[in-house]
Amino acid sequence: MAALSLTPVSIMAETSTPKGLAAEQTRQYAIPAGTLDQVLNQFASESGILLAIDGNLTQGKTSQGLQGRFSTEAGLERLLNETGLQAQPGDAGYTLKLRDQSRLPPVKVSGSVIAAERDTVTYDHQAIEQIQPQDIKDLFQNESAVAVGGSIPVNQKVYVRGVEETAMLVTVDGARQNNKVFHHNATNLIDPKLLKAATASAGVAPADAGPGALGGSLVYETVDVEDMLAPDQKFGGFVDGRYASNGEQWTTSGSLYGREGKFEALGYVNKIDGDNYEDGTGEEVNYSESALISGLAKIAYGSEQEGRFELSRELVNDDAARPYRANFGGLTVGRPTPESRNYDLSRDNTVFSYTLDRSKGGWNPEVTVAKSETELETIEVPLAAPETTVAYNGITESYTATMKNRSYTGFAEIVSGVDYYNDSALFRFEGDPDLEENAENVGAFIQLRQQLVDALDLSYGLRYDRQAFEGTDDSSHDDSGASGNLFAEYHINDYVAVNAGYAQVWGGVALAENYILNSAWVYTDLKPVESQNYTVGVVLTVEGFLAEANSYRTKIDNGRVPSYSGGPDLVADFDIEGYDLALGFSSDRAHLSIKYSNVDSEKDGQAATSYDGNYFTAPLGELIAVNGAYNFPVQRLTLGVSAEVSLENDAVEDSGAKQDGYTVINMYADYQLLDSLALRFSVDNLNNEAYTDRASYGQEFTTVKPLLEPGRSYTLNARYTF
């Protein structure tokens, strides 16, 4: 079933489900401990699957049972963990067999989906492969509650229920991303082709998510060997080529991966080149050429008994001439500037992790140590001195460490631990002293997830953070605060569930963006940012049909909005509220979803604009996303369609202009020509709409020339796997 609104679901690939296998939905289980065959038989009966059990394999084995809400595969994984067995899916159901002992354990064993995890959009590797996103906008195009502004990767920003990603906790493979480099470019440069999972969690974030989750969290995970190889394979790879007619864009990527015994390794590279694209009016959009390159390298060692050790490094770079202010085309007033300058934007992420998850008992530790860095260098030719060049350089770094343990008790699943970050923002201009802000934070947390009674799931937790902040004038500012959250979901019956949650978050003092740091700043009245999040929802599921409604509100107090001339201490209050509606249907061969979001954002009691909402929100109004697909298994063909509809928004009309409505339609056809060769033909912006994305900058200002999105484009993609 496609993800609906902000509900966590496993998104089904467009192939037929084997007869007898249950749809990938979660179900509540309360199976007591017993012999393994007894427990498996009860699980099979309650889940509605066919499970062939060989008594010779289960003889002498016991199980602690299963308590909580699980999908079919997650429940089987939990029951069979550490038994040496696995459930092999087939045409008629599942068959019990010996586990392939040469395979390393996955990074995490899938657990129950309860309480605080419901308010999310989750894409797993199967879903990302089906979407085949070229940028982060493609990844979230089927979600009305997740808006992505910007027309090319270097200027794209993500908004979850109206909250900009700067006001969220963003991690890649567990590494905190501190990327407030320059508000005219992307906050986080993400290549979705490197991802195996992406989760956007709105509002009520659990304490173990990490510090500073003011409006929720964005969690990205890069691919592992486990995601790429079949169970009986030890080595493999692929080459991928894509051509898009608009801008004559070429994408080339490839990967090699393998495993032997307790070791595995993976290498992945992706490159996108192209010319300027044309908008829906047929006009060429200057300085919009594609110039992205990315890569990923991973090595891992371990076993289910020893745990998993993993070291990874991810690099993403975009280097090309862009509009002088990369997120819009120009200004009709103000000081004269060159038409363009070169933006060299790079993100570098290095992570070491250790995980031991037995999915039982009191000792299931996880340790993560990481460094992330984003660097932006802009080079321009001044109008007054065309024979010279001027270079500015901004670097944000974050060193992070997390140590936590997951305990499975009869009372609850308990996650506790400590985390640390050291964030810095550095600005360099040749001939001037370096300018830098720094924030160091230590936090402790505990989060409990439990089934209080058969129909009631709870998640609640606390965290305490202490921060030391240092300004450009070397002044020190220490502060501390507590955060708490509570989320409950009650299942009225097998079809209807209601949920509600609240979180209060202390976020400390956020770093200013590099490009506005000022040596003359005097830090006298710094205030820590805090937020309050409320959400309430209802979900109805009946035999493949889903209906959902959610209402939410995020209030952010003392949000830091410094300016070069205004000083470092400026703050504002933001109030973001709205609601989501969703309808969907899913079967073995088809799915269809319609999602509607209505978001209203205010700054200090006035309608927030795309200018004064920088770092926190944007005027989004009413958004609709439609997504559907139908699979022809015999022909090995899948046809799909999606549509994005934005209704006219006059909430910001006082700024000079309303935001125009638009409708964009996309279509695709997937064809499995050979077992090793997959083709996709798609038409993006089929109706050739001339529009600016609702989450993009400047539409409400008569002095701004906003960037129009690409017009119609025909694409052909081919992937050969070996």
Side-chain angles (χ1 to χ4, degrees):
M1 180 177 291
L4 295 174
S5 185
L6 292 182
T7 303
V9 294
S10 177
I11 303 178
M12 189 171 58
E14 306 308 322
T15 57
S16 61
T17 301
K19 184 179 179 181
L21 269 65
E24 198 56 16
Q25 300 175 348
T26 63
R27 183 186 297 270
Q28 189 69 38
Y29 295 97
I31 301 176
T35 64
L36 183 58
D37 55 356
Q38 288 174 334
V39 171
L40 288 175
N41 275 312
Q42 184 172 346
F43 177 83
S45 176
E46 294 187 14
S47 62
I49 65 170
L50 297 176
L51 176 60
I53 301 174
D54 184 344
N56 292 325
L57 297 178
T58 59
Q59 185 176 8
K61 291 182 170 63
T62 60
S63 171
Q64 293 185 341
L66 191 66
Q67 305 289 327
R69 183 165 295 277
F70 293 84
S71 67
T72 300
E73 291 194 355
L76 286 169
E77 183 71 31
R78 179 65 64 89
L79 289 172
L80 297 175
N81 192 38
E82 290 198 336
T83 64
L85 305 176
Q86 65 185 57
Q88 180 70 42
D91 292 338
Y94 291 88
T95 302
L96 215 57
K97 59 177 285 187
L98 289 172
R99 186 181 295 273
D100 183 355
Q101 297 298 327
S102 67
R103 297 170 63 191
L104 272 68
V107 176
K108 292 181 180 178
V109 175
S110 299
S112 58
V113 180
I114 59 173
E117 283 73 42
R118 168 163 283 284
D119 234 23
T120 66
V121 168
T122 297
Y123 289 92
D124 60 12
H125 186 246
Q126 187 177 349
I128 294 174
E129 287 287 286
Q130 176 60 35
I131 296 170
Q132 297 187 24
Q134 297 302 301
D135 56 26
I136 207 69
K137 183 183 295 245
D138 287 346
L139 179 62
F140 292 118
Q141 69 175 349
N142 297 328
E143 306 300 330
S144 64
V146 183
V148 181
S151 58
I152 53 178
V154 74
N155 61 24
Q156 290 176 345
K157 296 176 183 284
V158 179
Y159 300 83
V160 182
R161 283 184 173 170
V163 180
E164 204 262 359
E165 58 189 305
T166 305
M168 305 179 73
L169 174 65
V170 181
T171 61
V172 177
D173 289 337
R176 174 184 173 89
Q177 304 298 296
N178 163 35
N179 298 340
K180 202 188 300 181
V181 184
F182 191 25
H183 65 272
H184 288 303
N185 54 250
T187 301
N188 293 286
L189 184 61
I190 300 290
D191 182 357
K193 292 178 75 68
L194 306 182
L195 299 178
K196 76 167 182 180
T199 301
S201 300
V204 180
D208 56 347
L214 296 170
S217 64
L218 279 166
V219 178
Y220 301 107
E221 296 179 66
T222 56
V223 293
D224 295 308
V225 172
E226 184 78 14
D227 306 305
M228 309 302 291
L229 286 178
D232 58 345
Q233 285 184 299
K234 288 190 174 182
F235 177 79
F238 71 82
V239 289
D240 194 289
R242 178 181 183 269
Y243 171 76
S245 63
N246 194 345
E248 296 189 356
Q249 183 187 89
W250 290 92
T251 302
T252 307
S253 61
S255 181
L256 292 173
Y257 33 83
R259 57 189 171 207
E260 183 62 42
K262 297 181 179 181
F263 293 91
E264 66 181 41
L266 176 147
Y268 201 161
V269 66
N270 181 46
K271 193 173 191 299
I272 307 177
D273 287 312
D275 299 328
N276 294 333
Y277 67 76
E278 293 183 357
D279 61 33
T281 68
E283 293 294 320
E284 181 177 319
V285 178
N286 293 328
Y287 314 111
S288 64
E289 64 266 27
S290 302
L292 185 138
I293 185 168
S294 62
L296 173 69
K298 278 190 177 184
I299 56 174
Y301 167 87
S303 67
E304 293 188 0
Q305 292 73 36
E306 298 169 306
R308 179 187 177 95
F309 299 84
E310 182 179 280
L311 178 65
S312 68
R313 188 175 185 190
E314 175 207 15
L315 296 167
V316 186
N317 173 260
D318 190 294
D319 184 2
R322 302 300 181 196
Y324 187 79
R325 300 170 180 87
N327 59 337
F328 61 92
L331 292 171
T332 59
V333 297
R335 65 180 177 88
T337 64
E339 283 189 2
S340 69
R341 54 181 158 182
N342 196 84
Y343 281 71
D344 184 357
L345 180 63
S346 297
R347 188 175 59 80
D348 186 343
N349 205 58
T350 303
V351 184
F352 170 78
S353 64
Y354 170 73
T355 304
L356 177 62
D357 191 347
R358 296 189 176 97
S359 299
K360 67 178 183 180
W363 183 241
N364 298 274
E366 181 178 337
V367 178
T368 303
V369 180
K371 178 195 174 184
S372 63
E373 176 182 291
T374 294
E375 180 174 1
L376 172 67
E377 182 181 55
T378 59
I379 300 176
E380 62 187 82
V381 178
L383 295 177
E387 71 284 355
T388 64
T389 60
V390 176
Y392 301 98
N393 188 261
I395 303 172
T396 60
E397 288 183 335
S398 186
Y399 293 87
T400 56
T402 302
M403 294 177 288
K404 61 184 178 183
N405 181 60
R406 190 180 304 270
S407 298
Y408 299 95
T409 72
F411 171 70
E413 179 183 302
I414 304 172
V415 180
S416 58
V418 295
D419 49 37
Y420 167 85
Y421 72 74
N422 189 325
D423 290 353
S424 62
L426 178 69
F427 181 74
R428 288 176 175 158
F429 175 59
E430 186 176 354
D432 287 354
D434 290 351
L435 299 176
E436 184 174 6
E437 287 187 349
N438 181 269
E440 189 173 22
N441 188 91
V442 177
F445 57 85
I446 183 169
Q447 186 77 21
L448 288 83
R449 298 174 174 92
Q450 68 179 138
Q451 182 185 23
L452 194 61
V453 295
D454 286 347
L456 179 61
D457 295 330
L458 289 179
S459 179
Y460 50 96
L462 296 169
R463 64 175 296 123
Y464 177 81
D465 292 281
R466 185 166 186 82
Q467 185 194 67
F469 180 91
E470 186 175 296
T472 58
D473 61 353
D474 295 328
S475 60
S476 297
H477 309 268
D478 296 339
D479 210 337
S480 61
S483 306
N485 68 88
L486 170 64
F487 199 104
E489 183 170 70
Y490 181 73
H491 300 269
I492 298 174
N493 52 41
D494 290 340
Y495 309 108
V496 182
V498 294
N499 60 76
Y502 169 78
Q504 188 278 330
V505 181
W506 184 90
V509 177
L511 297 178
E513 69 167 87
N514 311 55
Y515 271 57
I516 65 169
L517 294 179
N518 189 339
S519 60
W521 279 356
V522 177
Y523 296 74
T524 58
D525 189 27
L526 286 179
K527 297 178 180 178
V529 61
E530 299 186 67
S531 71
Q532 296 183 70
N533 296 276
Y534 311 82
T535 182
V536 61
V538 58
V539 183
L540 170 67
T541 55
V542 181
E543 296 182 352
F545 289 92
L546 183 146
E548 183 175 3
N550 297 281
S551 178
Y552 50 86
R553 186 176 187 180
T554 295
K555 299 183 66 177
I556 300 175
D557 298 327
N558 301 323
R560 192 179 179 207
V561 289
S563 69
Y564 182 83
S565 58
D569 306 328
L570 301 179
V571 297
D573 296 336
F574 295 86
D575 193 347
I576 305 155
E577 61 180 328
Y579 60 92
D580 305 326
L581 303 173
L583 291 173
F585 169 76
S586 178
S587 70
D588 289 350
R589 297 177 61 174
H591 76 255
L592 175 66
S593 67
I594 303 173
K595 309 170 190 178
Y596 168 87
S597 294
N598 191 326
V599 182
D600 179 39
S601 301
E602 292 185 353
K603 175 191 174 185
D604 290 334
Q606 302 295 320
T609 67
S610 55
Y611 173 78
D612 60 25
N614 271 333
Y615 320 133
F616 290 99
T617 190
L620 297 180
E622 298 175 274
L623 305 174
I624 301 171
V626 181
N627 174 47
Y630 192 87
N631 175 252
F632 301 87
V634 176
Q635 292 79 17
R636 308 178 83 179
L637 175 69
T638 298
L639 302 179
V641 63
S642 66
E644 176 187 351
V645 181
S646 293
L647 304 184
E648 183 180 284
N649 183 22
D650 59 6
V652 291
E653 198 166 13
D654 290 345
S655 298
K658 62 188 177 183
Q659 293 173 308
D660 293 331
Y662 58 84
T663 299
V664 181
I665 300 172
N666 309 302
M667 301 183 69
Y668 70 88
D670 286 343
Y671 179 54
Q672 193 73 36
L673 181 61
L674 304 170
D675 289 344
S676 58
L677 181 60
L679 303 177
R680 167 173 286 202
F681 176 73
S682 62
V683 184
D684 298 323
N685 196 354
L686 175 68
N687 51 323
N688 204 29
E689 182 87 337
Y691 73 106
T692 298
D693 189 279
R694 177 56 52 85
S696 294
Y697 180 83
Q699 302 163 66
E700 69 272 43
F701 303 118
T702 57
T703 58
V704 173
K705 301 175 183 178
L707 290 173
L708 294 182
E709 296 286 318
R712 185 187 298 117
S713 183
Y714 301 95
T715 66
L716 179 64
N717 192 95
R719 171 175 287 196
Y720 177 75
T721 304
F722 55 89

